[in-house]
Amino acid sequence: MLSRLLKEHQAKQNERKERVGFLFASFLFEFPRSTLNGAAAYVNQRKLDHEVKTLQVQAGQFAKQTAQWISMVEGFNQALKEIGDVENWARSIEMDMRTIATALEYVHKGHLQAASS
């Protein structure tokens, strides 16, 4: 799920970069210098500025989302560690209980043998 979201974001980001590049290329190559006046330059500059601001906002959103993903993954890793800790604790308790049960059986057998003699 995270990789799919990342790929979608990267695809959108690449598309926007291509649009900005296309606008810039159009600005530089499609308009002959003789016909390029101040108004056309202003319009093109405004388009480029808008695209840059859009990319900056999206980069900020992506950074926030990435931080959330990292936080989620770290939480998941911590939960896995805790599960491992509980499993080890349970094994330790089980071994202690078996030792106690064996000791009680030994004591019980000793009392039975002493009572029968």
Side-chain angles (χ1 to χ4, degrees):
M1 180 177 134
L2 296 176
S3 62
R4 181 180 55 84
L5 290 173
L6 178 62
K7 287 178 184 177
E8 288 175 6
H9 174 75
Q10 288 174 339
K12 288 179 184 178
Q13 192 174 20
N14 287 337
E15 181 182 315
R16 286 186 178 88
K17 284 181 184 178
E18 289 175 7
R19 283 196 336 227
V20 168
F22 176 76
L23 288 173
F24 187 70
S26 297
F27 176 74
L28 290 178
F29 301 112
E30 290 183 12
F31 297 105
R33 289 181 186 232
S34 61
T35 60
L36 186 63
N37 59 25
Y42 176 76
V43 168
N44 286 331
Q45 184 62 43
R46 297 275 296 163
K47 287 179 184 178
L48 286 172
D49 289 343
H50 176 71
E51 289 293 327
V52 167
K53 287 179 183 177
T54 302
L55 286 172
Q56 287 174 338
V57 167
Q58 289 176 345
Q61 291 172 343
F62 180 67
K64 286 180 185 176
Q65 189 175 30
T66 302
Q68 290 174 343
W69 291 344
I70 289 170
S71 176
M72 287 173 45
V73 169
E74 287 174 352
F76 180 71
N77 284 340
Q78 184 61 34
L80 286 177
K81 287 179 185 177
E82 290 173 4
I83 288 172
D85 291 344
V86 169
E87 185 178 354
N88 288 335
W89 174 79
R91 284 185 190 146
S92 176
I93 294 295
E94 182 181 7
M95 287 175 43
D96 289 347
M97 294 304 291
R98 286 185 185 186
T99 302
I100 291 169
T102 303
L104 289 173
E105 284 178 26
Y106 179 74
V107 169
H108 181 67
K109 286 181 183 177
H111 281 295
L112 288 178
Q113 287 176 357
S116 64
S117 345

